[in-house]
Amino acid sequence: MSLQNQTIPFLDLKRVNAAHDAGIRAAIARVLDSGWYILGEEVASFEHEFAEFCGVKHCIGVADGLDALHLVLRAYGIGTGDEVIVPSNTFIATWLAVSQAGAKPVPVEPDIATHNLDPACIEAAITPATRAIMPVHLYGQPADMAPIMEIAQRHGLKVIEDAAQAHGARYLGRRTGGLGDAAGFSFYPGKNLGALGDGGAITTNDDALAARLRMLRNYGSSIKYHHELAGVNSRLDELQAAVLRVKLPELDAENASRRRLAAAYMAALQDAPLQLPKQIEGAESAWHLMVLRTDRREHLQAALSEAGIGHMVHYPIACHRQQAFAQQSWPNLPIAERLQSELLSLPIAPYMTVEDVNRVASVVKAALR
Ligand SMILES: *Cc1c(COP(=O)(O)O)cnc(C)c1O
């Protein structure tokens, strides 16, 4: 491979974290030396800082993003016999959070241009068993929350944001995590705010929900060895919280860098024969992923691989087509199926340069010419 052809990986986590190297090492040493590793000062401080960042009253750290979503449903008493509306195009954790709670995920199709839940399709899916809507801010772009909240209020439903891909994104000037009744975040290493392992959090303004979640995540207990609820063990640990506290103050700057790269992609590819992601009015994406749509995906994938450029598909199999959900019957979901065969994600990461983007874009354009 020539120098000019040097590789642009899809995502290099070592490089992401190298930008915080000294701070992360100091944080790890601080936790090690503290002798306190579960539910201590680091988690309490991170919860405070992340709640403030999202503009909400409460943040509850948990083990991962799936637990965050699942525990919110449990805390609301949503379970067997209940239905929760989910997007047909999402990472499977959204659906699994619902099925794990014992409830039924009811898929609603996305807007093909934004890839996000189409508010116009929601009401047809509401039944007397519906308890909640779980919009996903997919690929970092906020779902169209104003009409979703309006529908939920009219039908007495909870709105639980799946914000696992959208730390720091804004909708009408407000952060994701504070747009619905509660939100679930993931700090999986590859997310915009990523730990060095698994981690997750719930954000909410609901005092009673927050109190219940604090018990649920810790064996259903608020006083040691007194168990009011049949809870679980799902705690963000001190080490991950300490690392996240180092990275959180830089998140806005890193997201700004992602926005610059996304704008460069949009400009470079505006005339290319492919579909760029549509941004809705008033939304500021966190650009977790740069996802485009093409009916010549395999050809494009081959060209990118040939040029040493990383790429991925988010996601190659729609949730209702997964073996895990195959035993249930689902409505026709033609948009989800079209997306699974046409979406392609290009590299985007805070350390990348506009030159990197232009190199990727030129390979894309040459391949589709
Ligand atoms: C990553 C992700 C989750 C789950 O997060 P984990 O921490 O991996 O459990 C949930 N929903 C979406 C949309 C995600 O991308």
Side-chain angles (χ1 to χ4, degrees):
M1 210 178 273
S2 74
L3 237 187
Q4 214 189 355
N5 239 14
Q6 70 192 207
T7 225
I8 299 180
F10 184 73
L11 177 64
D12 182 348
L13 287 177
K14 201 171 154 181
R15 248 182 114 177
V16 170
N17 287 322
H20 312 278
D21 191 82
I24 289 175
R25 283 175 201 279
I28 291 171
R30 189 172 71 229
V31 173
L32 175 62
D33 292 345
S34 78
W36 192 282
Y37 308 116
I38 295 289
L39 294 186
E41 277 174 29
E42 299 289 345
V43 169
S45 298
F46 173 72
E47 288 176 338
H48 180 78
E49 289 154 13
F50 195 62
E52 194 168 70
F53 176 84
C54 294
V56 296
K57 278 164 78 178
H58 306 284
C59 169
I60 302 99
V62 294
D64 53 58
L66 173 58
D67 274 4
L69 296 168
H70 163 236
L71 290 175
V72 170
L73 293 171
R74 274 195 59 183
Y76 275 136
I78 296 172
T80 310
D82 296 329
E83 296 178 355
V84 176
I85 289 174
V86 294
S88 58
N89 178 49
T90 182
F91 178 57
I92 196 157
T94 318
W95 287 43
L96 285 176
V98 177
S99 60
Q100 234 178 57
K104 184 176 185 283
V106 174
V108 165
E109 291 268 75
D111 176 325
I112 196 161
T114 67
H115 312 136
N116 265 334
L117 195 56
D118 186 347
C121 299
I122 291 175
E123 281 195 285
I126 295 175
T127 75
T130 309
R131 298 281 311 277
I133 306 171
M134 197 177 271
V136 180
H137 306 308
L138 199 64
Y139 313 139
Q141 181 176 204
D144 197 0
M145 291 298 287
I148 293 172
M149 294 307 289
E150 190 272 319
I151 293 164
Q153 266 144 27
R154 206 143 28 78
H155 293 269
L157 308 175
K158 297 292 183 195
V159 175
I160 302 155
E161 300 166 72
D162 180 342
Q165 299 188 357
H167 320 68
R170 284 191 174 90
Y171 177 85
L172 303 180
R174 285 162 57 212
R175 300 268 196 196
T176 56
L179 302 169
D181 294 291
F185 284 91
S186 164
F187 306 120
Y188 178 79
K191 304 290 164 110
N192 285 32
L193 181 61
L196 303 185
D198 277 313
I202 298 132
T203 54
T204 184
N205 285 312
D206 182 335
D207 299 341
L209 182 78
R212 221 174 145 73
L213 283 165
R214 287 189 189 287
M215 284 194 275
L216 269 180
R217 72 164 173 189
N218 191 27
Y219 293 112
S221 164
S222 50
I223 301 165
K224 202 169 173 86
Y225 303 132
H226 293 247
H227 303 275
E228 292 169 57
L229 304 169
V232 298
N233 176 1
S234 180
R235 301 173 296 216
L236 180 66
D237 68 71
E238 287 284 288
L239 211 44
Q240 301 306 338
V243 169
L244 292 169
R245 291 185 68 203
V246 174
K247 295 180 73 175
L248 179 60
E250 306 301 323
L251 178 60
D252 273 333
E254 292 187 344
N255 282 348
S257 162
R258 288 172 180 272
R259 269 201 306 282
R260 270 193 304 278
L261 300 168
Y265 269 123
M266 299 294 238
L269 294 174
Q270 60 178 342
D271 298 322
L274 51 78
Q275 270 64 51
L276 292 167
K278 183 183 154 199
Q279 304 301 293
I280 59 168
E281 195 77 37
E284 185 181 274
S285 178
W287 289 105
H288 174 57
L289 294 171
M290 178 71 211
V291 179
L292 50 82
R293 194 158 62 79
T294 169
D295 54 9
R296 297 172 69 200
R297 184 166 75 189
E298 278 180 26
H299 174 70
L300 196 47
Q301 285 169 310
L304 288 164
S305 296
E306 173 74 15
I309 293 166
H311 52 86
M312 287 186 76
V313 173
H314 298 92
Y315 297 92
I317 306 171
C319 294
H320 70 288
R321 290 285 185 192
Q322 296 284 356
Q323 214 179 326
F325 287 111
Q327 63 285 8
Q328 292 162 66
S329 66
W330 304 103
N332 284 334
L333 300 165
I335 299 179
E337 290 182 11
R338 181 151 179 211
L339 291 176
Q340 78 172 27
S341 63
E342 294 188 352
L343 293 180
L344 183 65
S345 304
L346 301 177
I348 189 164
Y351 56 77
M352 280 174 62
T353 63
V354 168
E355 283 111 80
D356 291 332
V357 165
N358 288 336
R359 240 196 75 212
V360 177
S362 66
V363 171
V364 169
K365 281 193 288 193
L368 294 181
R369 207 166 7 235

